Structures are given as structure tokens and as C-alpha cells.
């Protein structure tokens, strides 16, 4: 069985942000993000070892195969969500007119969308994600307690907010609201606008996926 391995994307590591220190970013990027890359790769090696992960012994109560598949999803989504998070930090640009118009259509106003993202960031243990639902074509906010818990199937992520304590504890201790405010001030809107354009093109292609 072929082994699929990931490499950390060091070019995504941000620095000199507003209200999120380099001291905060260092363990978040080097330990947490890269830790998910390492564990995902270890899991791929074990899945490729058919003696270790015997498919014939798969069981929903407990089996090595089940445990590997559960942790595969946790670690892989840990990699993806962190790359999306780090990839749009670095205060740049402004929301495009097309993106703002879509936000206003789907949430009623820009402020309503921001408040929805903030509230979700407070309510969930792991992540708050503003994304495009590929089935309805609407922008929605999804909350995740863990990388692989409560994901919306078919949601294309545009803005990804990490709400685990490891994302803010160095700077803000247990105070999450000021961290969320700092996060919003550091969004690179050029990246978000590009994600939005690609998401809308994907929706136009896939909107008849479910008939």
C-alpha cells in the first residue's frame, strides 16, 4: 500500500502580527501544527503496514484499524485547518465588493456575520469557520469542538479561526475575546478574496451535485 506523506509549509509561518506575538506563534506553528504533520505521517506508515492494521479485524467497538482511521481524520484536519489559519494572517487588503455583497445577502449585514463568527468562536472548543456551503451556495459559520467533530460536509473554508487555548494562551492567558479581536485585525483579505472567488467557481461547477 502506498504511503502518502505531508511536508510542513514553513512559508505560512506569520510574524510581527498585531496583538498576536511571535512568542505566541512559535509554539503554535512549530509544536502544534508540525506535530499534526508528524503524527499524520506516522499513521500513514502504520496504515500501510497490513500486518499492523489488519482490515479483516476492523471493528466499531475497538480495533487498531478503527483507531488509526479516527486519528487520521483528526491529524489530517489539524494540518489543513492550521494551514488555512496561518495562511490568511498578516493584515493586508480589504474585503472585495463581491465578498461583502455575498456576506450581506446571506447574513443581512457585515456586522451580523462578524458577530456570528465571534459568537461561534466563543461557543466552540476548537474552531470557527466561515465558509461556502457547496450544496446551498450560502455562506455559513460552522463551529468545531475538535478538528474532526461537527464538520459540515461540503463546506469550503474561507476564514478559519483557531479557538484552542494554544492559539492565544501566551498572549491572553484564558481570555479568548481579545484574541478573537486581534485575529480579525490580522486577516489578509487578499487571501480571503481569492479563496472566495475559487469557492464560487467551485459552487457553479458543483451546484447540481445533489439533484
Amino acid at each position: 500500500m502506498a504511503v502518502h506523506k505531508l511536508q510542513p509549509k514553513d512559508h505560512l509561518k506569520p510574524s510581527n502580527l498585531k496583538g498576536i506575538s511571535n512568542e505566541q506563534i512559535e509554539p503554535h506553528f512549530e509544536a502544534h501544527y508540525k506535530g499534526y504533520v508528524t503524527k499524520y505521517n506516522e499513521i500513514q506508515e502504520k496504515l500501510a503496514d497490513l500486518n499492523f492494521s489488519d482490515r479483516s479485524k476492523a471493528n466499531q467497538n475497538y480495533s487498531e484499524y478503527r483507531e488509526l482511521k479516527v486519528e487520521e481524520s483528526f491529524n489530517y484536519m489539524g494540518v489543513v485547518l492550521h494551514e488555512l489559519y496561518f495562511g490568511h494572517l498578516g493584515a493586508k487588503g480589504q474585503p472585495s465588493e463581491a465578498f461583502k455583497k455575498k456576506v450581506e445577502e446571506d447574513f443581512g449585514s457585515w456586522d451580523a456575520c462578524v458577530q456570528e463568527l465571534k459568537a461561534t468562536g466563543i461557543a466552540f472548543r476548537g474552531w470557527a469557520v466561515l465558509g461556502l456551503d457547496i450544496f446551498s451556495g450560502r455562506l455559513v459559520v460552522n463551529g468545531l469542538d475538535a478538528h474532526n467533530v461537527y464538520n459540515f460536509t461540503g463546506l469550503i473554508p474561507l476564514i478559519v479561526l483557531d479557538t484552542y487555548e494554544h492559539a492565544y494562551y501566551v498572549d491572553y492567558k484564558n481570555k479568548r475575546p481579545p484574541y478573537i479581536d486581534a485575529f480579525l485585525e490580522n486577516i489578509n483579505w487578499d487571501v480571503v478574496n481569492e479563496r472566495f472567488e475559487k469557492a464560487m467557481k467551485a459552487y457553479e461547477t458543483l451546484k447540481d451535485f445533489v439533484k
Side-chain angles (χ1 to χ4, degrees), residues 42-203:
E42 288 180 10
I43 289 168
Q44 295 311 301
E45 290 179 355
K46 290 181 178 180
L47 284 170
D49 183 348
L50 300 184
N51 291 319
F52 183 87
S53 55
D54 188 345
R55 272 68 172 169
S56 69
K57 295 180 181 178
N59 187 287
Q60 62 187 340
N61 292 333
Y62 175 80
S63 66
E64 285 84 358
Y65 181 72
R66 171 184 162 79
E67 289 302 304
L68 287 170
K69 294 301 287 184
V70 169
E71 299 308 329
E72 178 187 38
S73 67
F74 179 79
N75 283 277
Y76 183 64
M77 292 313 302
V79 172
V80 170
L81 288 167
H82 275 97
E83 289 179 351
L84 289 165
Y85 169 79
F86 289 122
H88 67 4
L89 290 180
K92 186 178 180 182
Q94 297 292 330
S96 68
E97 289 303 316
F99 182 58
K100 287 193 292 186
K101 181 180 178 181
K102 181 65 173 167
V103 166
E104 289 168 359
E105 288 175 355
D106 292 341
F107 288 92
S109 70
W110 181 265
D111 286 342
C113 177
V114 171
Q115 292 307 312
E116 187 77 6
L117 187 63
K118 283 185 173 183
T120 304
I122 295 296
F124 283 81
R125 302 181 184 111
W127 302 88
V129 179
L130 171 68
L132 182 74
D133 174 21
I134 204 68
F135 301 111
S136 69
R138 293 180 59 251
L139 292 175
V140 298
V141 175
N142 183 201
L144 293 78
D145 275 343
H147 312 319
N148 56 347
V149 178
Y150 306 138
N151 301 48
F152 279 9
T153 296
L155 186 71
I156 302 177
L158 306 176
I159 297 176
V160 176
L161 166 61
D162 189 342
T163 59
Y164 280 108
E165 287 185 348
H166 66 240
Y168 59 88
Y169 206 84
V170 172
D171 291 334
Y172 297 103
K173 300 299 184 279
N174 63 335
K175 306 298 183 184
R176 190 180 293 182
Y179 156 69
I180 294 177
D181 289 337
F183 165 81
L184 292 171
E185 290 182 9
N186 282 286
I187 291 178
N188 183 330
W189 290 107
D190 290 349
V191 173
V192 175
N193 293 336
E194 183 178 0
R195 290 177 182 175
F196 173 69
E197 290 175 8
K198 291 178 178 178
M200 291 303 296
K201 289 178 181 178
Y203 171 66

Side-chain angles (χ1 to χ4, degrees), residues 12-58:
L12 295 179
K13 186 177 182 180
S15 62
N16 303 321
L17 302 175
K18 301 175 184 177
I20 301 177
S21 68
N22 291 344
E23 290 76 15
Q24 174 64 71
I25 292 295
E26 188 66 20
H28 193 179
F29 192 93
E30 297 296 335
H32 292 278
Y33 160 58
K34 289 189 176 180
Y36 295 122
V37 173
T38 298
K39 287 302 177 185
Y40 174 83
N41 289 340
E42 288 180 10
I43 289 168
Q44 295 311 301
E45 290 179 355
K46 290 181 178 180
L47 284 170
D49 183 348
L50 300 184
N51 291 319
F52 183 87
S53 55
D54 188 345
R55 272 68 172 169
S56 69
K57 295 180 181 178

